[in-house]
Amino acid sequence: MTHALTFALAALAAALLTGCGTLSKDDGGRAAPPKTDAPKTQPPAGPAAPAFEPIIVSLPFRVDLSFSEGALAKLRETNADMGVAADYYGAPKDPGMEGLDPDLGVWLGGEMETIDAGNRSLTLKGQFDAARVAREVSGDARVKVMAFPVRAYAAEATVTCTEFDEYLSIAVETGGTVICTLVGE
């Protein structure tokens, strides 16, 4: 502790001797601005980019999955699970905007659930940034739901499922349906 106190006093004395923190008599006792020899070459700062606060909303909706007998038998035979994925997106206000998804436009996020194969319903969260929709999307947010076998190549190659694609507000009201069958059924 004695060494720290000695060091602090020495640093204070050095600062006073070099003029650091001196007051100028001609400016009413205010601290003098630091003097630099560097030229001022930076342009004046323009207006700062606005900070956008996200507004996360959740519009949960139900998806019903149904399977043909053949598809269900193939899934059970191969011990495959089902992946159910939802992508939230919208048509861009500016089609020339950078970072657009080639298939979806403005991608607003997504979610995926893995479930056992079988006829069932599940509820997806429907979460997206409403502030971003207001800034970048023309119209309302949409949802595209896909289902597919996972963890079993034989099932992935032979089971196909329809897709559900709708405005999210309508999906909340009506729910969605995805039907899985064997390829060629």
Side-chain angles (χ1 to χ4, degrees), residues 23-76:
L23 298 178
S24 171
K25 292 181 183 175
D26 58 20
D27 64 359
R30 293 186 308 267
K35 295 182 182 182
T36 62
D37 294 331
K40 294 183 179 184
T41 58
Q42 294 180 355
F52 295 110
E53 290 292 321
I55 302 171
I56 306 301
V57 296
S58 183
L59 298 174
F61 62 99
R62 184 190 79 252
V63 175
D64 298 323
L65 272 79
S66 62
F67 299 86
S68 70
E69 288 182 28
L72 195 53
K74 184 56 133 179
L75 292 166
R76 288 185 177 149

Side-chain angles (χ1 to χ4, degrees), residues 13-164:
L16 290 174
L17 288 174
T18 59
C20 206
T22 59
L23 298 178
S24 171
K25 292 181 183 175
D26 58 20
D27 64 359
R30 293 186 308 267
K35 295 182 182 182
T36 62
D37 294 331
K40 294 183 179 184
T41 58
Q42 294 180 355
F52 295 110
E53 290 292 321
I55 302 171
I56 306 301
V57 296
S58 183
L59 298 174
F61 62 99
R62 184 190 79 252
V63 175
D64 298 323
L65 272 79
S66 62
F67 299 86
S68 70
E69 288 182 28
L72 195 53
K74 184 56 133 179
L75 292 166
R76 288 185 177 149
E77 169 191 317
T78 59
N79 293 319
D81 289 329
M82 290 298 295
V84 180
D87 285 307
Y88 305 105
Y89 71 99
K93 284 183 178 177
D94 175 10
M97 188 171 106
E98 288 187 30
L100 294 177
D101 183 284
D103 296 323
L104 302 175
V106 179
W107 188 72
L108 301 168
E111 64 182 295
M112 182 177 160
E113 297 282 333
T114 302
I115 60 172
D116 294 331
N119 295 332
R120 67 185 68 239
S121 293
L122 78 136
T123 300
L124 296 174
K125 295 175 188 165
Q127 286 186 338
F128 63 95
D129 181 355
R132 185 168 180 215
V133 170
R135 277 191 325 269
E136 299 175 15
V137 173
S138 176
D140 292 332
R142 294 184 64 92
V143 61
K144 183 176 188 176
V145 178
M146 299 159 283
F148 42 87
V150 293
R151 295 191 259 272
Y153 180 74
E156 292 172 21
T158 59
V159 175
T160 185
C161 300
T162 62
E163 295 178 353
F164 173 75

